Amino acid sequence: MSIVDTPERRQLRELTRAFVTREVLPHLDDWERAGEVPRALHATAAKIGLLGIGFPESVGGSGGELLDSIIVTEELIRSGGSSGLVAALFTHGIALPHMVAAAGAHTGGSLGGRLGGTASPGEDGLIERYVRPTLAGTMIGALAITEPDGGSDVAGIRTTARRDGDHYVVNGSKTYITSGHRADFVTTAVCTDFPGSGELTLLVIDKGLPGFTVGRRLEKLGWHCSDTAELSFVDVRVPVTNRIGAEDTGFLAIMQNFAAERLSLATQAYATAQRCVELAVRWCRDRETFGRPLASRQLIRHRLAEMHTRAEAARSYVHEVANRVAAGEPVVTEVAMAKNVAVAACDHVVDQALQLHGGFGYLRDAEVERHYRDARILGIGGGTTEIMNEIIAKGIGL
């Protein structure tokens, strides 16, 4: 029996599929046009246990391993959802793991338990004030790392946090922040030395604090149902108890959690490819040209066969790498390769799928059109394809 096809994981797939069918599909087009998903969706997902997959029960999660989180993401997209929906509904997957890890709790889904460390006096408070409510669907969290002039250069972060008694005074700005408009709090990377020093610390900053401004909603090519914002901090006073882990340990924490984020994006990529294969096969069976179904033509059959092969190969490799990550193996290079392989497969498949749909594929009414737009971010988020290639090159000794 395949490790991804156990009775428990089949049930998890069925649960996810039922959730998408009942709670998502009737409303997704409206959410795309509104630019966000409703807060109530988080509570619904939490109630049935989906929101907490990959987080330990000790912090309010549903338990499960990294592969369980991957299965939920995969099935959500293959059931008719989208990678944009994953970004909006599961933003806590990048906002919470650092807190869970610092508190010393084991989490199979987000790698947090493997980050090590001893809980500081404020860590248990962070679990109670932020982690549990978020996994219960009553709060929304975001992660703020990227800055307007920073891109992938995490070590070059210029947002500063100056210690002033029992508070940090934060100044700076962040951009491209997923769920930034809806978030109640933001796990924020700040520099506790001079700007760009690389001495990073993670602070949890509550929305509504004086000096914390959420800027305009950023309009994007894809991921329309996932709100994205710019954030500004001007002399924002953040309690020291909102620090995650020890001071100047933020860079390591960010780097260690990148593996889970990159595998999530790889999953979104191959799952989008799989869904587009299914859509294209269905269309080519039903669509007739010159009195014959498209699928009756050898050229079309071979194109579909190639699309299916690429999607399935990417899925198998991502699963293999995820198992090695879950086992604690140091597979930084392999994670980068998994992301690039899955993104390349997705780019090819969504392009071919839209082409096979013809003029209909170019319309907003076509599901494949949404996947075509959404797929473009997957080679950028979590580290660009070019950054992944630099990691791979280093891994092979170049």
Side-chain angles (χ1 to χ4, degrees):
M1 178 183 297
S2 168
I3 59 172
V4 298
D5 194 34
T6 63
E8 294 79 11
R9 285 175 173 155
R10 284 198 295 270
Q11 291 177 356
L12 184 57
R13 289 186 184 280
E14 292 169 2
L15 177 67
T16 305
R17 192 179 309 117
F19 168 77
V20 172
T21 301
R22 182 178 61 252
E23 305 292 343
V24 173
L25 296 186
H27 312 292
L28 186 53
D29 285 342
D30 292 337
W31 298 340
E32 286 275 302
R33 298 180 193 281
E36 62 180 38
V37 303
R39 297 180 70 93
L41 188 68
H42 293 256
T44 301
K47 186 176 181 180
I48 63 175
L50 283 183
L51 210 63
I53 291 293
F55 287 87
E57 295 180 9
S58 61
V59 299
S62 306
E65 301 176 355
L66 178 59
L67 200 54
D68 295 304
S69 299
I70 285 175
I71 286 170
V72 170
T73 297
E74 176 185 317
E75 196 61 37
L76 188 147
I77 293 173
R78 293 194 65 178
S79 298
S82 66
S83 58
L85 177 66
V86 173
L89 185 58
F90 293 97
T91 315
H92 64 281
I94 56 175
L96 299 183
H98 314 88
M99 294 184 232
V100 176
H106 174 74
T107 169
S110 63
L111 305 185
R114 282 178 284 282
L115 302 185
T118 302
S120 68
E123 304 301 348
D124 289 338
L126 296 180
I127 297 297
E128 297 303 318
R129 286 187 288 138
Y130 299 107
V131 177
R132 289 187 184 278
T134 302
L135 295 178
T138 60
M139 293 185 77
I140 296 174
L143 176 68
I145 295 177
T146 304
E147 298 183 346
D149 58 353
S152 296
D153 183 13
V154 175
I157 282 174
R158 304 185 66 81
T159 297
T160 59
R162 174 179 55 83
R163 183 73 179 262
D164 182 20
D166 292 334
H167 289 78
Y168 287 99
V169 180
V170 179
N171 284 278
S173 60
K174 302 290 182 178
T175 193
Y176 313 140
I177 306 307
T178 300
S179 295
H181 267 274
R182 295 180 306 133
D184 300 296
F185 65 89
V186 183
T187 299
T188 308
V190 298
C191 180
T192 43
D193 201 341
F194 61 88
S197 68
E199 298 295 329
L200 304 183
T201 298
L202 291 174
L203 298 178
V204 184
I205 305 180
D206 291 295
K207 183 181 286 185
L209 287 177
F212 179 9
T213 303
V214 178
R216 64 187 177 91
R217 186 190 301 271
L218 301 178
E219 296 185 0
K220 310 182 297 296
L221 169 67
W223 278 13
H224 287 177
C225 68
S226 172
D227 62 293
T228 307
E230 296 175 324
L231 309 178
S232 173
F233 307 98
V234 179
D235 292 334
V236 180
R237 295 184 65 83
V238 180
V240 171
T241 52
N242 276 33
R243 188 184 69 213
I244 301 174
E247 199 169 276
D248 300 336
T249 61
F251 184 81
L252 178 61
I254 292 168
M255 291 298 105
Q256 289 176 315
N257 199 59
F258 264 147
E261 182 180 358
R262 288 166 180 167
L263 285 174
S264 175
L265 290 163
T267 302
Q268 294 171 50
Y270 79 67
T272 297
Q274 288 183 303
R275 178 63 177 176
C276 286
V277 171
E278 294 164 1
L279 294 172
V281 167
R282 187 186 309 162
W283 174 264
C284 291
R285 282 174 173 164
D286 295 341
R287 176 67 168 171
E288 289 193 2
T289 59
F290 304 101
R292 293 169 52 192
L294 278 175
S296 70
R297 306 177 189 280
Q298 185 185 64
L299 174 66
I300 301 300
R301 293 199 305 272
H302 287 191
R303 186 174 297 183
L304 291 168
E306 182 180 84
M307 292 160 60
H308 177 68
T309 299
R310 294 194 185 200
E312 290 299 316
R315 177 178 186 264
S316 294
Y317 186 58
V318 172
H319 284 185
E320 177 190 337
V321 173
N323 281 323
R324 295 178 64 184
V325 169
E329 294 185 37
V331 287
V332 175
T333 302
E334 288 79 359
V335 168
M337 291 192 294
K339 184 174 186 289
N340 276 5
V341 164
V343 167
C346 183
D347 288 347
H348 174 80
V349 170
V350 296
D351 181 74
Q352 293 298 308
L354 191 145
Q355 184 73 18
L356 289 171
H357 277 75
F360 176 65
Y362 199 67
L363 301 181
R364 285 291 296 268
D365 290 339
E367 182 185 333
V368 71
E369 183 266 352
R370 180 171 65 244
H371 293 307
Y372 185 88
R373 288 185 287 103
D374 286 354
R376 190 60 188 87
I377 190 62
L378 300 178
I380 298 173
T384 64
T385 297
E386 292 75 16
I387 293 293
M388 295 303 99
N389 280 332
E390 276 296 302
I391 293 172
I392 295 165
K394 182 177 179 180
I396 60 177
L398 297 177

